[in-house]
Amino acid sequence: MQIRTVITLSLFAAVLAAPLAHAADPVPAAAAASAALAAPSAAAIPAPEAAATPDQAAAIAALTKENALLQERIKALESCSISSTDLAARNSKKLKEIIADVRAQRQSMADFESYVKWMSGHVASYSKYIQASSVAARFVRFFPIPYAGQASLFTKFVSDSAVSLGAASVSINKYLGTSQQFLSRADALDPNKPTYNQDVSELVRFADQDLLKGMTEVQERLTTTSQLSASSLSFLESVNHYVGSGDEALTKAKSFLKSDDNKAEKSFLAESTTSLRNKAQVFNGKLQLFDATVKKTSPQIKALVAYDDLARSLDPRFARK
């Protein structure tokens, strides 16, 4: 009975296991291959591309053209070579133009110095008129002097003028020394010397740091001297007019309004006014020429510095720190 029961259970287990075994069998190769081919074939078909718009086409064409131009420029730059020696030669040539202007400036320095000294003595002679104005109170009203914000303080005008003229004289003498040093170093430049590039570079730096500074300082001082001349001329013309008016207050100050050689005050003032006017015209004419050379030379020196900076970047060994 037990044996029969065991056989019956074994057969029943075999019947249940058969369908499960068939379900676990692998898919036939042909069917699997067909399924594999079917899936990728659908994904491999690309989606149709949209046609480029006119704007896009134009942008692409512009970029293509720009790229071609850049390629041409790159080729041009690659074929172009420049050295520190080339730049030094260029600066040496430009220095010659500056040298000519500096020599012309120096020819005027003696005339400027002479005029400044004459003006110093001329302004000092105002002391007699200052004394006269202290006696004749109404004197002051006739002599407005537009200088340094002082319309009626003659003493301030004279003292400021003396200081300004003294500073102008100092600047002129200083520039004469600086410009002579510049010219001497320029004359000593020799392209055959191994230190030629370095010498040119150092001279350019001297021109920028010393020569140009002295040049502009002289220009400022001489401009102030020109303004003093205009104020002085206005002062003399006012005094001359007052002397000719016959004012009774003038009688009280008559002793102060005569020159040292006892000329009549009217004649003395007229001569002084005429002399100052003539000298000032000559001075202003030369000052205009000097201003023109400064305006020309200043940007030239700055250009030299720019080229020298490039030369130093290409070959920093030739420039001493």
Side-chain angles (χ1 to χ4, degrees):
M1 181 67 179
Q2 293 178 348
I3 295 174
R4 190 178 298 174
T5 301
V6 171
I7 293 174
T8 302
L9 292 173
S10 298
L11 291 174
F12 182 73
V15 172
L16 291 175
L20 295 175
H22 286 295
D25 287 345
V27 180
S34 299
L37 290 174
S41 62
I45 299 175
E49 295 182 359
T53 64
D55 291 341
Q56 291 175 334
I60 293 172
L63 289 173
T64 303
K65 182 178 180 180
E66 182 179 356
N67 182 61
L69 292 175
L70 289 174
Q71 293 296 331
E72 292 179 2
R73 291 179 182 178
I74 291 173
K75 291 181 181 179
L77 289 174
E78 290 175 346
S79 63
C80 176
S81 62
I82 189 170
S83 65
S84 59
T85 301
D86 297 330
L87 293 171
R90 185 265 179 198
N91 274 1
S92 179
K93 181 179 179 181
K94 293 299 181 181
L95 277 170
K96 293 180 181 179
E97 299 178 15
I98 298 175
I99 290 170
D101 288 332
V102 171
R103 293 189 189 280
Q105 289 176 351
R106 286 176 56 83
Q107 293 177 357
S108 300
M109 288 298 110
D111 294 333
F112 290 150
E113 176 68 10
S114 177
Y115 182 77
V116 168
K117 289 181 178 179
W118 180 84
M119 274 296 298
S120 298
H122 184 77
V123 171
S125 67
Y126 286 169
S127 59
K128 68 178 68 176
Y129 301 111
I130 296 172
Q131 289 175 304
S133 67
S134 66
V135 177
R138 286 191 293 174
F139 236 32
V140 179
R141 297 179 303 174
F142 288 90
F143 313 133
I145 301 178
Y147 176 74
Q150 303 296 331
S152 61
L153 297 180
F154 298 142
T155 303
K156 183 67 173 178
F157 171 73
V158 173
S159 62
D160 285 354
S161 298
V163 172
S164 179
L165 292 170
S169 181
V170 171
S171 296
I172 290 172
N173 289 325
K174 183 179 178 181
Y175 182 63
L176 284 172
T178 302
S179 59
Q180 182 57 57
Q181 185 178 354
F182 171 77
L183 294 176
S184 298
R185 293 177 63 172
D187 292 338
L189 290 176
D190 185 359
N192 297 319
K193 291 177 61 177
T195 59
Y196 175 67
N197 290 1
Q198 178 179 315
D199 294 339
V200 171
S201 177
E202 292 179 349
L203 185 58
V204 167
R205 298 293 163 167
F206 180 82
D208 180 51
Q209 299 170 5
D210 297 274
L211 182 72
L212 184 58
K213 179 180 178 181
M215 189 186 302
T216 53
E217 182 177 320
V218 169
Q219 182 187 34
E220 293 173 358
R221 299 299 187 188
L222 293 179
T223 299
T224 301
T225 300
S226 178
Q227 295 170 352
L228 287 173
S229 300
S231 297
S232 300
L233 184 59
S234 176
F235 178 85
L236 284 178
E237 290 175 341
S238 298
V239 174
N240 196 17
H241 173 76
Y242 183 77
V243 169
S245 67
D247 194 289
E248 293 181 0
L250 180 61
T251 305
K252 300 178 180 180
K254 205 168 186 180
S255 60
F256 299 110
L257 297 175
K258 291 183 179 180
S259 62
D260 296 336
D261 57 3
N262 295 321
K263 286 185 178 180
E265 59 270 12
K266 180 65 177 178
S267 175
F268 170 68
L269 290 171
E271 291 175 2
S272 298
T273 304
T274 301
S275 177
L276 175 57
R277 183 183 295 109
N278 293 338
K279 288 181 178 294
Q281 287 177 350
V282 175
F283 171 80
N284 289 332
K286 293 184 178 182
L287 179 57
Q288 288 179 355
L289 296 177
F290 180 78
D291 287 340
T293 60
V294 175
K295 291 178 181 178
K296 174 186 175 184
T297 303
S298 179
Q300 286 179 326
I301 291 178
K302 294 304 180 183
L304 290 178
V305 174
Y307 278 97
D308 185 62
D309 286 340
L310 179 58
R312 289 174 179 239
S313 65
L314 291 174
D315 186 8
R317 293 172 299 175
F318 77 84
R320 286 200 297 262
K321 300 297 183 182

